[in-house]
Amino acid sequence: MAGVRAVGILSRFATSKYSRLSGHGHRSLSMSSSLLARTYANYEIKDGVAVIRINDPNSKVNTLSKPLQAEMTEILEEIWGNSAVKGAVLISSKPGSFIAGADLNMIQACKSAEEVTTLSQEGQKMFDKIEKSPIPIVAAINGSCLGGGLEFAIACQYRLATKSKKTVLGTPEVMLGLLPGAGGTQRLPKMLGIPAAFDMMLTGRNIRPDKAKKMGLVHQLVDPLGPGLKSPEEATIQYLETVAIEAAKNLANKKLSVKKEKGLVQKLQDMVMGLPFVRKQIYNMVTKKVMGQTKGLYPAPLKIIECVQTGIEKGTTAGSLAESVNFGNLAMTSESLALRGLYHGQVACKKNNFGSPARDVKNLAVLGAGLMGAGIAQVTVDKSVRTILKDTTVEGLTRGQQQVYKGLNDKTKKKAITSFQRDTTMSFLTGQLDYRGFDQADMVIEAVFEDLNVKHKVIKEVEAVIPPHCIFATNTSALPIKEIAAASKRPEKVIGMHYFSPVDKMQLLEIITTDKTSKDTTASAVAVGLKQGKIIIVVGDGPGFYTTRCLAAMLAEAVRVLQEGVGPKKLDALTKGLGFPVGGAALADEVGIDVAAHVAEDLGKALGSRFGGGNVEVLKTMVQKGYKGRKSGKGCYVYEKKSKDKKVNPGVEEILKAYQLKPAPSVSGDEDVQYRLLSRFVNESVLCLQEGILPDPVQGDIGAVFGLGFPPCLGGPFRFVDSFGADKLVQKMHRYEEVYGNQFSPCQLLLDHAKDSNKRFHK
Amino acid sequence: RFVFRMFVMTKTKKTLAKPNVKNIVLVDGVRTPFLLSGTSYSDLMPHDLGRGALQGLLNRTGVPKEIVDHIIYGIVIQEVKTSNVAREAALGAGFSDKTPAHTVTMACISSNQAMTSAVGLIAAGQCDVVVAGGVEFMSDVPIRHSRKMRKTMLSLNKAKTLGQRLSLLGSIRMGHLMPELPAVAEFSTAESMGHSADRLAAAFGVTRVEQDEYALRSHRLAKKAQDEGLLSDIISFQVPGKNIISADNGIRPTSMEQMGKLKPAFVKPHGTVTAANSSFLTDGASAVLIMSEEKALALGYKPKAYLRDFVYVSQDPKDQLLLGPTYATPKVLEKSGLTMEDIDVFEFHEAFAGQIVANLKAMDSDWFAQNCMGRKSKVGVPPMEKFNTWGGSLSLGHPFAATGCRLVTTVAHRLQKEGGQYGVVAACAAGGQVFLTCRLLIHAVYAVTAIRLSSACL
């Protein structure tokens, strides 16, 4: 179960921060000339207030597209030309979405940076007009208000937001390698102060309504309503509209003022920020921090700082120009392309392509209350699915239940849920040592010890007590599913579900089907995974499936690099320099040296010398000496509580000396070491596609980034081959092949791509 | 929520008597005057008020102490010194020390729970004569030391040496001194009652004007009832060492203009619930005498009403907290085989004007009936000329656990006065302006009880 257990920490990127910036749905550019029947936005005048309602007919969310902007401009001109209109309200008719962002396809369609810059400037112009509107415009926000949607809202004179769970505000552009390109970098610092604006734009984090009010991002909050004379969603939108109209009227007749008395702290902060050298300090500090975190691999954050700085120091005109030009340039970078690709991939991997399962999984059982088992139980009860957590010992069970409780309690402490919700969620969990209640189970997920005999024993025990329709899912990181299924009486109901640890943080779920697994079983497993909030890739069966196999290839190279005298610290610096969130040595410690040894040996046996490189004995010796990684306190590093600075384990240095290899100078420069690590990973990925383990490059990229922490700025192994050039990669690999042999032999598919530069994994 | 129904039996109408179930009657009911918290009762304790109501019941009914089988009392905010307030109040009121007493709590329908528990005891043949009632005393509520401080103080008790004690004392920080107030919010949803009422009003499109108008109606009707001497359930209460109190002091009919000036109390700035259209924090106690019909007649009483059916229902505590009457009323009517038209007297607890108007709109809505209640069509609205015509909690006051008995006694008195036969009482189990309950039910709970006025007393 533990193969890639701790890879979790790899994937800082993989939090769902940017999941809502929406950009799907192709839009026709043909515009209706009729003023009355607009497609994307309409308005009516209520009591002297123009209520503008946005509703994209082709999508679940509203996006800031060209046709919407065109209609909006028309409407605004009409309203401004109508002296009877004293104020306006901007509201969405969709329950879960105000405006979820700019239409990404609009950017995708652009051929040059200049074109994108023009797009940005059009947006800036429109929002400038709104900011200077002669009548007050109130943005009434319910649902996602992100990216371009937020920039629209902050150009308005007043903002109201519902406290609905679906209401989030934010500028997630940075997660897509972009910047807020429609005035955001200019308005936010003035509105929130420089530090808060930086925090918001550089992290791209979602801001909940309460926080938004506190920050000054919105002026007033409105509670969502329950059922009344209409459904809660309709009632809430109508209530929001009523309150917004009232606010617009009050703003128009000066009963309500936007200017707020500044508190002492605010005044003090403004005074300090008035000092040029303080501001300079801040720019420097923020730049340093960004460089530390991104290693300079991501250009967008630096450009955001630049735009803010230009706007503040040289005025808004210069700032806006910098914003639009940088926006255009960023849109053309390979980083932005990679991140946008991941965004689309992630959306694609949140769908069930296997249809709806014949039965809903209402009762789930998890075998083994270890880290993985308890984690799986946690994400399941979190969605109100009744879950049995079974272990063989009271100690194991107690630890597992405590883990679930702690996971939920941490959420309570962060105020994401109330203590009451925590308790109700906990009530869905039953911990037990026997098979009671398994006759009601719709799915059993086993997360027991990674040993074929144990798994066979378990599958037989379980099949004796579960009902015929129940699915048996096995959470393994390397054992082939068909070997596990060999012990089953009903192999069509057996499937692999490879979770990543920590389960509640890691978004990826790798589902593995054998040739006997039925389509309904797969559909059901995907449905459960989606319910658990996972991004899902569905891959074929084989040793190490997809993710473990790629990682094992890279780790084998990492061990060789260590044997060649590159210290663990240097190795980590090199891998992080590529954009991996965790270095190779630290990663091995997190995964567990014993697990790594186990996987390396198994895969080596199954897949042959291609998985050679480092000597497995290095890992085995480490395990013998008790250096099992972080969990045992010692691995490549020594782990002490409280000590921030990790020290290299001297015992490991000795072992490495004993297994020392002589580096080949021609391929041992820093860059070559990096490409040796990367190319083995990438080659293995491409081979998985070639062999049919992977159904398509999209899932390959998503799996590598969200499961293994493959550098997001590269967009995944396939995106990397496309942007780096298969021919260049093959050239490098041939050089390494000469020294090390077949571990670096490029696979056929990679060679095909190298030969024909028109061949690309992503169109 | 809690709804009680009462009937008058005439020869043409059904008696609603059930085969093999004893007829249970309300002999009489009394209450202390309801006062705004912090006024004349402010130096008392909860059991003092309870004592007043119980003593008043003894005096008014002349019931021999030794025949009372059991006493049940309700309270919401408990005084820690008198956790079984029923027993303390009963002993102080001169009941026999051989009569067992217990305390119940169910938020704003605590005394409804006391009464229906009594009905249960009698119906089960365990008792013949039961006193039920409730008290609430908001002039003083338990404010506690912080959990940290309490922990330190408890450890101090166990400390053996001076050194241990000093080190414990030394561990006290400023944060320890922060007192803990009774929660103003529902435990499960962290939302205050007023806030919930405001959202409810908005969900049903209840305007500020509608709420103010309803509140004004309540005050005017209460004033009229007071002036005409209809509030005969009130017994005078002698505040020890002070004057005698004999009338409610929260009835204040003003004008729409005056009420319109108030700012929203909970949802700011766009809310509609204000101090003037909400019930206020109140001190008060009530009590009723319940018997089996046989026993009452044997003792020579002329009972005021039969207590028939009751229903408790519960809903989602977030969005439907205050909608109990809508859910419960049709249920109890169906149980008794009656329709809305059969009912002569409606007494609904008025937590907030917005809540009452929202309930009336919900009862008038097919959408609500179909989508939230699983009914084919709307419940139907009680006619206003039969509805809370002697004022309600908005004007008379709402001592949480005392309101239930007031409602039931009022229905009996109104049926007598107006010559009706059937009455219904409904209440929501969480009302009150700033709701200070520290123990709320997980779900809002509602109850309906049907009471039929006995012909014997007419």
Side-chain angles (χ1 to χ4, degrees), chain A residues 3 7 36 111 199 210 219 221 246 251 274 368 436 439 480 514 543 602 655-656 743:
Chain A
V7 180
L36 294 171
K111 297 274 177 286
D199 179 65
D210 286 316
H219 298 90
L221 295 178
E246 200 57 34
L251 283 165
R436 201 166 13 110
D439 54 344
T514 69
D602 282 2
I655 296 171
L656 288 173
Q743 291 128 29

Side-chain angles (χ1 to χ4, degrees), chain A residues 13 43 49 54 182 240 328 378 439 567 645 680 688 707 727 737 753:
Chain A
F13 172 79
Y43 77 98
V49 175
I54 313 166
L240 175 66
Q378 186 190 327
D439 54 344
D645 197 31
R680 286 194 66 177
C688 282
D727 49 342
E737 195 181 10
H753 275 245

Side-chain angles (χ1 to χ4, degrees), chain A residues 588-608:
Chain A
D589 277 358
E590 296 293 343
V591 173
I593 304 294
D594 50 337
V595 177
H598 201 68
V599 170
E601 199 166 22
D602 282 2
L603 290 189
K605 270 185 209 155
L607 300 168

Side-chain angles (χ1 to χ4, degrees), chain A residues 238-290:
Chain A
Q238 198 183 31
Y239 182 43
L240 175 66
E241 185 181 302
T242 312
V243 177
I245 292 174
E246 200 57 34
K249 279 196 282 187
N250 288 340
L251 283 165
N253 63 25
K254 307 272 187 274
K255 264 199 223 163
L256 181 65
S257 161
V258 195
K259 283 204 182 106
K260 254 176 71 180
E261 270 299 299
K262 282 183 179 171
L264 186 65
V265 179
Q266 187 63 44
K267 277 182 189 162
L268 216 61
Q269 194 186 338
D270 287 357
M271 199 188 77
V272 174
M273 288 297 161
L275 306 170
F277 74 90
V278 173
R279 292 200 301 271
K280 204 167 170 212
Q281 264 323 99
I282 289 179
Y283 303 137
N284 288 342
M285 207 177 70
V286 174
T287 309
K288 219 174 123 192
K289 213 172 163 192
V290 165

